């Protein structure tokens, strides 16, 4: 997503987001992964997309080992010390989602790196049964494989990105930076896209986003994105529904495209996928 300006640090006075995606503007710093361990079990109810006769497939479930800090129920993103639940239930999602990877966004001012937020990607475990074509790939191969991430996004299983702010941010600043990341990725916005962006903007205008606030971006389907903001625990409802395939796809590309704004998150997710797809 974004490196955010106007955060509660005196040095952060400029808008940190480039107008165009540029991998040289990203600063990966440390790489992290949530110490994923996995096991496979047989399931008779992978999802509603399987018929009763065909759903006797092998489903991959996540089991996350306890990190050096925290418990087995949480995984700590080491650069920011933000703890992410290993299993997450979000509003209007049909099943509990499992943590696949974590990372952080850092903006460099002069020579000083300022961390803005941590992020964790959650997925419906059933999606992993669709990725057999990538079995045996290394994390490095997966990370550079855009067809894999495109297939990952286009699958109709739920995915959710949790963003946890590690600094106070003004809502307008947050949106402006987000918009600067999304808009260049939509080459010819339609009226549907413009309406979706207007709805998205309205969530953050005039809204202070304090340190510790979580923003949940959930894709129940590639054509729909749910947005929820919570300053205290998990949300009980969504703030808005964004029904624009172009906007949803552009936002996913912000994190998992060729020039991700959080390289550490994409690396962590690739590592998690490589572990599963051995």
């Amino acid at each position: 997503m974004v490196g955010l300006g106007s955060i509660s640090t005196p040095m952060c006075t400029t808008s940190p987001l480039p107008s165009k995606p540029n991998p040289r503007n990203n600063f990966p710093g440390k790489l992290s992964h949530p110490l994923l361990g996995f096991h496979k079990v047989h399931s008779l109810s992978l999802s509603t997309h399987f018929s009763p006769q065909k759903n006797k497939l092998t489903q991959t479930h996540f089991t996350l080992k306890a990190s050096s800090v925290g418990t087995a129920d949480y995984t700590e993103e080491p650069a920011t010390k933000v703890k992410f639940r290993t299993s997450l239930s979000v509003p209007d999602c049909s099943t509990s989602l499992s943590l696949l990877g974590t990372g952080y966004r850092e903006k460099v001012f002069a020579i000083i790196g300022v961390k803005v937020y941590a992020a964790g990607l959650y997925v419906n475990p059933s999606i992993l049964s669709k990725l057999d074509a990538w079995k045996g790939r290394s994390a490095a191969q997966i990370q550079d494989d855009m067809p894999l991430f495109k297939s990952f996004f286009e699958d109709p299983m739920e995915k959710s990105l949790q963003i946890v702010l590690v600094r106070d941010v003004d809502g307008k600043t947050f949106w402006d930076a987000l918009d600067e990341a999304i808009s260049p990725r939509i080459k010819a916005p339609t009226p549907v896209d413009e309406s979706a962006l207007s709805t998205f903007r309205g969530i953050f205008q005039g809204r202070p986003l304090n340190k510790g606030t979580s923003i949940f971006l959930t894709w129940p389907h590639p054509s729909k994105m749910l947005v929820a903001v919570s300053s205290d625990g998990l949300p009980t409802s969504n703030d808005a529904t964004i029904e624009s395939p172009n906007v949803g796809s552009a936002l996913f590309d912000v994190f998992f495209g060729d020039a991700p704004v959080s390289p550490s998150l994409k690396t962590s997710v690739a590592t998690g996928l490589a572990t599963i797809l051995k």
Side-chain angles (χ1 to χ4, degrees):
M1 182 167 42
V2 293
L4 300 173
S6 300
I7 54 182
S8 60
T9 299
M11 71 183 73
C12 305
T13 57
T14 60
S15 175
L17 250 190
S19 59
K20 295 183 179 179
N22 185 342
R24 287 187 288 271
N25 288 336
N26 294 313
F27 302 90
K30 297 180 181 178
L31 300 181
S32 64
H33 63 87
L35 303 177
L36 290 166
F38 302 92
H39 65 279
K40 293 185 177 180
V41 298
H42 291 284
S43 171
L44 298 181
S45 57
L46 288 182
S47 78
T48 56
H49 300 282
F50 293 90
S51 67
Q53 290 76 25
K54 295 182 180 179
N55 67 0
K56 293 182 179 179
L57 297 175
T58 299
Q59 180 181 5
T60 304
H61 288 276
F62 294 74
T63 302
L64 287 97
K65 302 173 184 178
S67 65
S68 58
V69 179
T71 70
D73 295 329
Y74 291 85
T75 291
E76 182 180 90
E77 196 290 302
T80 60
K81 308 302 181 184
V82 172
K83 293 181 176 65
F84 289 89
R85 297 170 185 263
T86 59
S87 181
L88 182 70
S89 294
V90 291
D92 300 323
C93 230
S94 65
T95 187
S96 178
L97 307 180
S98 297
L99 183 65
L100 184 57
T102 65
Y104 67 95
R105 172 60 172 159
E106 181 177 71
K107 177 63 182 176
V108 174
F109 297 88
I111 60 173
I112 299 175
V114 178
K115 294 175 179 63
V116 183
Y117 60 76
L121 180 67
Y122 292 83
V123 299
N124 183 327
S126 296
I127 195 175
L128 301 169
S129 65
K130 315 287 188 66
L131 301 178
D132 286 348
W134 286 274
K135 278 190 174 180
R137 303 282 183 92
S138 68
Q141 290 172 321
I142 288 175
Q143 185 167 346
D144 294 333
D145 193 335
M146 289 313 300
L148 184 152
F149 283 96
K150 182 178 179 182
S151 175
F152 196 82
F153 174 74
E154 291 177 349
D155 191 276
M157 295 293 181
E158 299 98 334
K159 297 160 280 285
S160 186
L161 184 70
Q162 181 183 3
I163 296 168
V164 182
L165 296 174
V166 296
R167 294 181 177 274
D168 294 349
V169 179
D170 172 75
K172 182 181 183 301
T173 300
F174 185 91
W175 167 254
D176 288 346
L178 187 62
D179 188 36
E180 287 179 19
I182 296 173
S183 293
R185 289 170 162 85
I186 304 176
K187 303 304 181 184
T190 67
V192 170
D193 300 332
E194 296 290 356
S195 176
L197 288 170
S198 178
T199 299
F200 209 171
R201 180 188 310 113
I203 300 170
F204 301 106
Q205 294 295 331
R207 184 175 196 164
L209 302 174
N210 297 325
K211 178 180 177 180
T213 295
S214 285
I215 299 164
F216 296 85
L217 306 172
T218 303
W219 293 267
H221 188 275
S223 63
K224 178 188 292 187
M225 185 174 68
L226 309 174
V227 184
V229 181
S230 176
S231 59
D232 183 21
L234 296 178
T236 57
S237 62
N238 290 300
D239 290 87
T241 299
I242 308 299
E243 298 195 70
S244 163
N246 288 335
V247 173
S249 175
L251 187 55
F252 195 83
D253 188 71
V254 167
F255 288 92
F256 301 106
D258 288 326
V261 296
S262 175
S264 59
L265 175 62
K266 186 176 179 181
T267 296
S268 179
V269 168
T271 300
L273 287 170
T275 301
I276 300 163
L277 298 173
K278 282 183 177 178

